[in-house]
Structure formats: structure tokens, C-alpha cells
Amino acid sequence: MSIPLLIIDDEPYMRILLEQTLEELGDAIVLHQARDGQEGLDLARQCRPRLIFLDIMMPVIGGLEMCRILRQDETFKETVVVL
């Protein structure tokens, strides 16, 4: 069973860098990506990632605010967030 991971960053090169770093995990993961906080929050609610790589400074919803929102939601109590 593949583990869902989510990258949320408004900088395309950072998403690409993380994607390339994680690609060696192959079928062990399913990688999702979002370009801003709102898109990331919507995608997180849909895919329920086990790990989120989260940029701090983003448009719409910043990373710190998004982390606060995630921590208040029981659905994400065991989700690891890397800022």
C-alpha cells in the first residue's frame, strides 16, 4: 500500500527538488502537490497525507496558518508536517 505524501510550495523549483528527492521511494508513495495554502488544504482533506512538506511563506494561506488549521483537525492528528 502506497503512503500519500503532500508537497505544498508556491515555488515550482522547490516542488521539483522534493519530487526528485522522493522519487527513489518509487511505488511506496503517492506524491501530491499544491501551489498555495488553500489548494494544499483542499488536497490534504482529499488525499489524507501521512507527511506534508509545507512552505512557510505562500499566497492565500501561509504555512504557519495552515499548520494551525491542520493541528485543530482531528483527521490530521498523526500527520507529520515539515515546515
Side-chain angles (χ1 to χ4, degrees), residues 8-9 22 36 58 63 67 69:
I8 308 170
D9 200 312
L22 296 168
D36 63 53
M58 292 184 298
C67 191
I69 292 168

Side-chain angles (χ1 to χ4, degrees), residues 40-52:
L41 188 56
D42 295 341
L43 192 54
R45 289 178 173 147
Q46 180 182 355
C47 74
R48 314 265 173 154
R50 298 270 312 272
L51 173 64
I52 299 175

Side-chain angles (χ1 to χ4, degrees), residues 4 13 19-20 22 31 72:
Y13 67 88
E19 180 181 12
Q20 289 175 343
L22 296 168
L31 190 59
Q72 291 177 344

Side-chain angles (χ1 to χ4, degrees), residues 4 6 16 22 60-63 75:
L6 176 58
I16 292 168
L22 296 168
V60 187
I61 299 175
T75 306

Side-chain angles (χ1 to χ4, degrees), residues 21-46:
T21 301
L22 296 168
E23 72 184 5
E24 71 181 49
L25 297 173
D27 293 337
I29 64 166
V30 175
L31 190 59
H32 304 274
Q33 298 184 34
R35 295 169 294 205
D36 63 53
Q38 184 61 58
E39 182 182 352
L41 188 56
D42 295 341
L43 192 54
R45 289 178 173 147
Q46 180 182 355

